[in-house]
Amino acid sequence: MAAEGGGKEMNEIKTQFTTREGVYKLLTHSEYSRPNRVPFNSQGSNPVKVSFVNVNDQSGNGDRICFNVGRELYFYIYKGVRKAADLSKPIDKRIYKGTQPTCHDFNPLTATAESVSLLVGFSAGQVQLIDPIKKETSKLFNEEVGLTAFTLRLIDKSRVTCVRWVPGSESLFLVAHSSGSLYLYNVEHTCGTTPPHYQLLKQGDGYAVHTCKSKSARNPLLRWTVGEGALNEFAFSPDGKFLACASQDGFLRVFGFDAAELHGTMKSYFGGLLCVCWSPDGRYIVAGGEDDLVTVWSFSDCRVIARGHGHKSWVSVVAFDHCTTSVEDSDPPAEFSGSDEEFHEQIHFGGGRDRANSSQSHLSKRNSTDGRPVSVTYRFGSVGQDTQLCLWDLTEDILFPHLPLSRTRTHTNVMSATMSSSSGNSGAPANSLPAPLPRSNSLPHSSGPAGGSSIIDSTFIATGVSKFATLSLHDTRKERHEKDHKRNHSMGHISSKSSDKLNQLSSAARTAKADAAKTLGTLLCPRMEEVPLLEPLVCKKIAHERLTVLIFLEDCLVTACQEGFICTWARPGKVGLLSSQNPANSPSGTVV
């Protein structure tokens, strides 16, 4: 579809993009959705989520995919870049009444071609254990219990926000709720017919852990109360020893899981944190949320080392690309704690809860400013409610800076020395990087020379930070309306005509402003000029509705939007059998 002006061109859906590795291409024949392929009316529904598992099928087609759309849950053979998707033959399909699936997770330890264990969390608080291959439902946790004239959910009646199997375990799993509580379950135990009684086990700044008192073993084994408001997502470290929690109160909290001890915290620049992920070696955590930023936090130093700005609305998912991330020896790594064997285990991302004898041997205590023992490039991605995909590179410039971070002028693109002045179109060389992208109007900025580095000037440092941190919903809506950005991408559950709700949100924003002022400029939440500000290598609009999934696989990356379309993007050179797709069947859009 030809563009008829700058504004229309900006709103076109991209079907490929270029990085230094080459061209990533959307494979339209590998799109998964409901069998009728009709866009889902997502108003008021829970986010579309995707889970993968490999069942070690000897046929070489062992990947399986599960995704939820509204009240429906689907389970398919995932053919990826090899063959076109056949939506007419789901292995299992389930339609739920009175509740909706919100999240799910496979247990990779028990998966076989004949059986898989899939946990499914629901909007009414239940957790279901199912086997979509056998088409069986084995157990229901936190189910309703009838008491005379009414029913009662005994453990937690709020929406399930995240569910994960405990790494290395065939029976333990962890469930987060919008109440802010986190529960540890054992699939072998029942939940009981009476409300659980809890006993305090440990508490600290912003959290408490309780055990369940019972004469016989029952669920939940533990209850964690973390922060204020919803616990939106959690993620285990690659070695399974640590747990990172992203909460609606804006705090990232990292715990030693077995000891239930707080390792470190970080505060968002503004608003709640919605997503979190670990680097493949466990050294860094990336979080995203309602401040439109991605924030990189060092596990060993317990501090923010960089922020990335490219999204125009809330960041819904962050994920590291383990295939593009590289860590190479340069000089002998004298400052790295642990053996060479342990170091290479980290680089190759071996998993399991028993992999390490000590977390200190796997997560180095070396101060990141002491030197450069390794050549490092971490690639991670993010998708947002602005319908954009961003890819980021975290390089030595950030990880091992030569100069102190405290300065009055900060380059917004720390990798500008390696960036070409190319516009980033498909005609650019494969090994060149696109020029710095225009900054979003979410942050005040001054325009630099064309093709050069953007710089945060003293005006932004003096006034821009406070303005950004106190944006009201009205201001945000006005600015984005001027740019033809629909706010319902990020706040689909809030009616634009509801003045009462807007007033409530404005009141919440004022409260958030007061809370943010307490931490801004501290180690918990450095000011914008105190840490490097990254710009994305790629920032492309790839969907009509807000994006809810980003998963990096060996030969592709997978995204999903709230319309219920799960898209496969082939990595450079991995197009395979689908390279001869019929352009007539492709959705309208542009290639860049």
Side-chain angles (χ1 to χ4, degrees):
M1 180 174 62
E4 297 179 359
K8 188 171 182 179
E9 183 179 1
M10 290 293 291
N11 287 325
E12 289 181 337
I13 306 301
K14 311 304 180 186
T15 56
Q16 71 179 43
F17 56 86
T18 303
T19 67
R20 65 171 179 273
E21 308 97 61
V23 179
Y24 288 73
K25 296 182 179 180
L26 175 65
L27 303 181
T28 56
H29 286 185
S30 290
E31 180 180 270
Y32 286 78
S33 67
R34 297 187 299 170
N36 59 15
R37 294 187 182 273
V38 175
F40 176 68
N41 182 4
S42 60
Q43 188 71 23
S45 66
N46 290 286
V48 173
K49 297 292 185 181
V50 174
S51 296
F52 284 98
V53 70
N54 189 286
V55 299
N56 299 314
D57 190 345
Q58 294 182 354
S59 67
N61 197 18
D63 291 329
R64 303 290 183 266
I65 184 174
C66 174
F67 58 91
N68 61 287
V69 181
R71 297 185 298 112
E72 302 169 13
L73 187 74
Y74 292 91
F75 182 68
Y76 281 96
I77 295 175
Y78 180 70
K79 300 178 181 179
V81 302
R82 299 180 299 276
K83 295 181 180 179
D86 184 1
L87 301 184
S88 65
K89 298 178 180 179
I91 299 175
D92 194 15
K93 172 187 175 181
R94 301 181 182 222
I95 302 177
Y96 296 92
K97 296 181 180 180
T99 187
Q100 293 184 7
T102 58
C103 51
H104 31 84
D105 190 43
F106 288 104
N107 192 329
L109 296 180
T110 60
T112 66
E114 293 76 32
S115 175
V116 294
S117 296
L118 176 67
L119 291 168
V120 185
F122 291 90
S123 57
Q126 311 99 317
V127 178
Q128 195 177 52
L129 176 63
I130 66 176
D131 187 333
I133 294 180
K134 294 182 177 179
K135 296 182 172 57
E136 295 178 352
T137 300
S138 58
K139 286 190 177 181
L140 182 65
F141 303 91
N142 192 29
E143 70 272 28
E144 291 181 336
V145 176
L147 295 176
T148 61
F150 62 94
T151 60
L152 179 67
R153 206 169 307 286
L154 298 178
I155 298 175
D156 199 309
K157 63 182 180 180
S158 65
R159 177 173 57 94
V160 176
T161 57
C162 187
V163 59
R164 293 279 188 272
W165 291 97
V166 174
S169 175
E170 296 184 1
S171 58
L172 299 178
F173 63 93
L174 205 56
V175 182
H177 287 258
S178 59
S179 64
S181 294
L182 191 67
Y183 299 92
L184 179 65
Y185 288 83
N186 188 321
V187 296
E188 305 298 333
H189 298 168
T190 63
C191 292
T193 57
T194 59
H197 295 280
Y198 297 106
Q199 179 178 356
L200 181 64
L201 174 66
K202 186 170 294 188
Q203 70 180 81
D205 186 13
Y207 81 101
V209 183
H210 294 79
T211 59
C212 183
K213 293 180 60 178
S214 177
K215 294 181 179 179
S216 59
R218 62 162 291 177
N219 285 316
L221 306 179
L222 294 175
R223 183 187 71 181
W224 298 54
T225 304
V226 182
E228 298 179 1
L231 202 169
N232 291 319
E233 188 175 42
F234 64 85
F236 282 98
S237 61
D239 61 7
K241 301 292 185 182
F242 293 88
L243 184 71
C245 299
S247 297
Q248 190 60 37
D249 61 7
F251 278 91
L252 167 72
R253 296 176 177 88
V254 182
F255 298 95
F257 181 62
D258 292 334
E261 294 181 347
L262 184 64
H263 171 79
T265 59
M266 180 271 288
K267 178 70 169 62
S268 70
Y269 204 74
F270 179 75
L273 288 179
L274 305 178
C275 51
V276 63
C277 68
W278 291 78
S279 66
D281 58 5
R283 291 175 179 267
Y284 303 100
I285 297 173
V286 172
E290 296 174 357
D291 55 9
D292 302 357
L293 302 172
V294 292
T295 303
V296 185
W297 190 79
S298 168
F299 178 90
S300 59
D301 296 340
C302 292
R303 66 180 180 89
V304 175
I305 62 170
R307 292 189 179 101
H309 181 249
H311 288 284
K312 300 183 181 70
S313 187
W314 298 353
V315 179
S316 51
V317 182
V318 288
F320 273 89
D321 182 356
H322 60 281
C323 294
T324 307
T325 293
S326 63
V327 183
E328 300 176 357
D329 290 313
S330 52
D331 296 324
E335 295 159 333
F336 183 86
S337 60
S339 66
D340 291 341
E341 181 180 354
E342 289 174 331
F343 176 78
H344 288 292
E345 282 180 356
Q346 288 189 56
I347 305 310
H348 290 90
F349 324 133
R353 291 182 55 74
D354 298 327
R355 200 187 75 182
N357 293 328
S358 168
S359 62
Q360 299 299 335
S361 65
H362 282 259
L363 303 168
S364 172
K365 295 184 292 181
R366 174 186 51 79
N367 189 319
S368 61
T369 61
D370 288 344
R372 298 189 181 197
V374 290
S375 175
V376 182
T377 301
Y378 293 89
R379 168 70 58 81
F380 65 94
S382 58
V383 295
Q385 299 182 358
D386 57 358
T387 72
Q388 292 192 127
L389 164 70
C390 292
L391 296 182
W392 315 79
D393 267 3
L394 186 61
T395 63
E396 295 176 354
D397 313 57
I398 298 300
L399 303 176
F400 315 118
H402 288 298
L403 300 175
L405 293 177
S406 56
R407 54 191 182 278
T408 58
R409 297 170 68 86
T410 305
H411 288 278
T412 60
N413 187 351
V414 299
M415 294 170 289
S416 59
T418 62
M419 302 281 278
S420 71
S421 59
S422 166
S423 61
N425 293 333
S426 57
N431 62 349
S432 64
L433 299 179
L437 295 166
R439 299 287 305 286
S440 164
N441 70 328
S442 295
L443 282 172
H445 66 279
S446 59
S447 300
S453 301
S454 301
I455 296 178
I456 302 178
D457 58 22
S458 57
T459 303
F460 169 70
I461 294 173
T463 63
V465 172
S466 60
K467 178 180 178 181
F468 176 59
T470 59
L471 280 177
S472 68
L473 178 61
H474 173 76
D475 294 336
T476 306
R477 288 171 59 87
K478 182 177 179 181
E479 292 174 6
R480 289 171 184 165
H481 177 73
E482 292 173 354
K483 286 186 170 291
D484 198 28
H485 173 71
K486 296 182 180 179
R487 184 63 179 174
N488 64 350
H489 286 164
S490 59
M491 303 186 67
H493 61 290
I494 297 176
S495 171
S496 60
K497 298 180 181 179
S498 175
S499 59
D500 292 339
K501 289 186 177 181
L502 290 178
N503 290 335
Q504 292 174 5
L505 289 169
S506 297
S507 176
R510 288 192 295 270
T511 303
K513 173 184 175 182
D515 293 340
K518 299 177 182 178
T519 57
L520 185 62
T522 68
L523 192 63
L524 288 175
C525 181
R527 298 182 182 275
M528 295 299 291
E529 70 272 16
E530 294 175 338
V531 294
L533 187 62
L534 307 175
E535 289 187 358
L537 302 176
V538 170
C539 188
K540 302 297 180 185
K541 178 182 175 69
I542 62 170
H544 291 289
E545 269 289 346
R546 59 190 185 273
L547 294 163
T548 59
V549 171
L550 175 62
I551 299 173
F552 290 97
L553 301 178
E554 184 177 350
D555 50 10
C556 62
L557 61 91
V558 176
T559 62
C561 70
Q562 196 56 21
E563 286 183 315
F565 296 115
I566 292 87
C567 298
T568 297
W569 300 77
R571 292 183 185 271
K574 299 290 186 179
V575 175
L577 298 177
L578 295 178
S579 58
S580 58
Q581 295 182 83
N582 183 0
N585 295 332
S586 301
S588 60
T590 59
V591 294
V592 292

